[in-house]
Amino acid sequence: MATTAGQFWDKHVRDAGDRVNWWSSDACTAAYNEQVCGQAVPGNSRGCRIALAAAAGRPLGRGVSVGAGAGDKERALLLDGIVGEMRLWELSEARAAEARRRAKADGVGERLEARIGNAFVEETGSFDLVTWDHSLHHMPDIDQALAWSVERLNPGGWLMINDYFGPNRLQWRRDEVEHCNRVLDDIDRAHGTKLRRVRHSNILTRLRMRHRDPSEAPHSEKIADAIRRHLGAAVTPVGGLVMNILGGIVVPAFPDDHSAIAALVAADRAALAQGQWHFGFTLWQKP
Ligand SMILES: C[S@@+](CC[C@H](N)C(=O)[O-])C[C@H]1O[C@@H](n2cnc3c(N)ncnc32)[C@H](O)[C@@H]1O
């Protein structure tokens, strides 16, 4: 399983500039960040950095991140002076190599170390920050990942979780698909487009997803409850249901200042107000 997941993510080393999905839209990331930190600033995960810096009130020494990919979020923590050093864990060799390359290019290569392997077995160090950014939902055992996170933290250290809490294996519920396709109907009617529709999940789509990337959201539906049990903390819902399901369809089709993007964001906020969300944020300090 670990090898297949690593190989899948090897193929997904993209340029940060691609307009591929919600994370490459300033309007979408600004809406996300506003829910996380109260500031509608653009930039993927920037709201998390703002919230962490404000809560910690001082630069943190060493941080660790599992499933860090090309390390963009971790590099930003270093560049913003929020953390002194970051250790990254990955299954994908290509993504870890890309993390090293980008860190070096940005002048923080000495402060970022990217390792390949099983962090839960091999990482026994202690840290001032454990961060999960859209990677906790890839873990095969959420309880193990959270217990490890708490154990790795120094007293007073911070655990930051910015992640996906939606349906397991990204198999959208029937009502989610129908809701999102109605949003697409409205956009098509307003702009004369013929955007592709979201397909319903079934046993085949579930199996295909499992085969494509065995690490994709095996237990995402259990994460909020596990956080409550391990940390005694609640997850702040930040939205994402509409942005997550439709981002890959709508964002590539329109420039960011187009009213269709504003409609996408508005639909996402309306879903959040109705208690429907995929993404959540938790910041917790170890006593
Ligand atoms: C959705 S990506 C997120 C990457 C990064 N955190 C980001 O936000 O750009 C999930 C990453 O988790 C990695 N991954 C999956 N299972 C893993 C595991 N057990 N240990 C370490 N990394 C893992 C994948 O290779 C992939 O790069």
Side-chain angles (χ1 to χ4, degrees), residues 15-18 20-34 36-37 39-50 68 70-77 80 82 95 102 131-134 160 162-163 238 243 279 281:
D15 282 346
D18 285 355
V20 290
N21 211 315
W22 64 265
W23 55 81
S24 32
S25 153
D26 283 352
C28 291
T29 57
Y32 196 128
N33 292 334
E34 187 169 22
V36 171
C37 75
Q39 296 179 37
V41 288
N44 196 0
S45 284
R46 190 162 156 210
C48 306
R49 296 194 289 282
I50 292 171
D72 293 336
K73 281 100 181 237
E74 294 74 8
R75 205 169 64 255
L77 284 166
D80 288 356
I82 297 169
R95 295 197 121 201
R102 292 183 189 178
T131 176
W132 294 94
D133 202 307
H134 289 265
M160 182 161 74
N162 177 45
D163 227 289
V238 300
M243 285 197 302
F279 301 143
F281 180 72

Side-chain angles (χ1 to χ4, degrees), residues 184-195 197 254 258 260:
L184 291 175
D185 290 343
D186 291 344
I187 292 176
D188 274 353
R189 249 195 314 275
H191 305 293
T193 44
K194 281 194 174 154
L195 298 172
R197 291 300 185 263
F254 299 96
H258 197 282

